[in-house]
């Protein structure tokens, strides 16, 4: 199984990495296009997000442009967190059993989380897509973007290989 490490980089060693991310979505794109050519539209969230962002200017997924957005997560015990990737004690911003949503929002902890920006990897600083992705989602940075070593960016590899074919397909098949 390939997934996100459970403890922000400290875990099983089976986590997704930028190169595997790029390979997976690049291969999937060409299969997706074949299905579309056969008249079978299948929504793939990542492709939908790339199309919305790069061709419509709409960041439809949090972090695709490097910016976190308010996405409160409420656990069954009333704990409130700023993001589903950060539903841990360290990032708890409030508790609905003790405060109203308005009070939690006014406390400012969400703003602190949203403004927290990890430093950019060296590979990001010379990337043609930096102005679009801003270094990416801080939680997905190690698996999708620059990775822990900062030498390969999966998002960049995907965009370099697939952005033009995706645009052409969208224009010919979905906007025609």
């Amino acid at each position: 199984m390939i997934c996100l490490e459970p403890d922000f980089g400290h875990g099983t060693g089976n986590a997704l990495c930028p190169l595997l991310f790029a390979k997976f979505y690049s291969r999937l794109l060409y299969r997706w296009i074949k299905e579309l050519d056969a008249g079978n539209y299948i929504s793939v969230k990542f492709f939908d997000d790339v199309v919305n962002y790069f061709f419509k200017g709409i960041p439809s997924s949090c972090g695709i442009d490097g910016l976190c957005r308010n996405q409160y997560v409420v656990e069954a015990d009333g704990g409130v967190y700023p993001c589903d990737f950060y539903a841990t004690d360290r990032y708890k911003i409030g508790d609905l059993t003790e405060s109203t949503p308005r009070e939690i929002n006014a406390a400012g902890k969400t703003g602190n989380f949203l403004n927290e920006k990890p430093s950019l990897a060296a590979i990001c600083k010379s990337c043609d897509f930096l102005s679009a992705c801003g270094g990416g989602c801080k939680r997905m940075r190690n698996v999708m973007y620059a990775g822990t070593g900062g030498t390969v960016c999966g998002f960049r590899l995907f965009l370099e290989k697939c952005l033009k074919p995706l645009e052409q397909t969208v224009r010919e098949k979905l906007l025609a």
Side-chain angles (χ1 to χ4, degrees):
M1 176 194 319
I2 298 177
C3 58
L4 294 177
E5 291 288 9
D7 190 17
F8 300 88
H10 305 89
T12 65
N14 292 326
L16 183 61
C17 69
L19 188 56
L20 291 176
F21 171 88
K23 283 182 179 181
F24 173 79
Y25 277 110
S26 296
R27 289 177 183 163
L28 183 60
L29 178 69
Y30 290 100
R31 290 188 171 123
W32 179 80
I33 290 171
K34 275 186 174 181
E35 284 296 316
L36 195 56
D37 287 342
N40 301 318
Y41 171 75
I42 300 167
S43 175
V44 174
K45 175 85 167 99
F46 177 67
F47 299 156
D48 294 345
D49 292 339
V50 170
V51 167
N52 285 334
Y53 186 58
F54 284 91
F55 308 135
K56 298 178 184 177
I58 302 167
S60 57
S61 68
C62 184
I64 195 166
D65 57 356
L67 301 174
C68 289
R69 291 182 176 67
N70 231 354
Q71 296 201 24
Y72 291 129
V73 172
V74 180
E75 294 289 339
D77 66 356
V80 180
Y81 305 87
C83 169
D84 59 340
F85 288 137
Y86 290 89
T88 64
D89 290 344
R90 177 177 170 205
Y91 291 97
K92 187 173 183 178
I93 58 173
D95 191 317
L96 288 180
T97 65
E98 300 167 3
S99 306
T100 67
R102 184 170 299 198
E103 291 168 335
I104 292 170
N105 192 45
K109 289 183 178 180
T110 302
N112 295 341
F113 174 81
L114 296 177
N115 294 324
E116 182 183 283
K117 292 290 278 181
S119 59
L120 286 176
I123 192 173
C124 296
K125 295 174 184 173
S126 63
C127 180
D128 292 338
F129 298 105
L130 179 60
S131 63
C133 84
C137 165
K138 61 185 169 185
R139 176 62 169 108
M140 296 296 289
R141 187 165 283 181
N142 288 339
V143 298
M144 181 175 167
Y145 298 92
T148 52
T151 58
V152 174
C153 176
F155 194 51
R156 177 180 177 174
L157 291 173
F158 172 81
L159 293 174
E160 287 173 345
K161 181 175 183 179
C162 299
L163 192 58
K164 286 186 181 170
L166 182 59
E167 179 180 24
Q168 181 179 346
T169 299
V170 167
R171 291 190 193 285
E172 291 175 1
K173 307 283 187 220
L174 300 177
L175 298 179

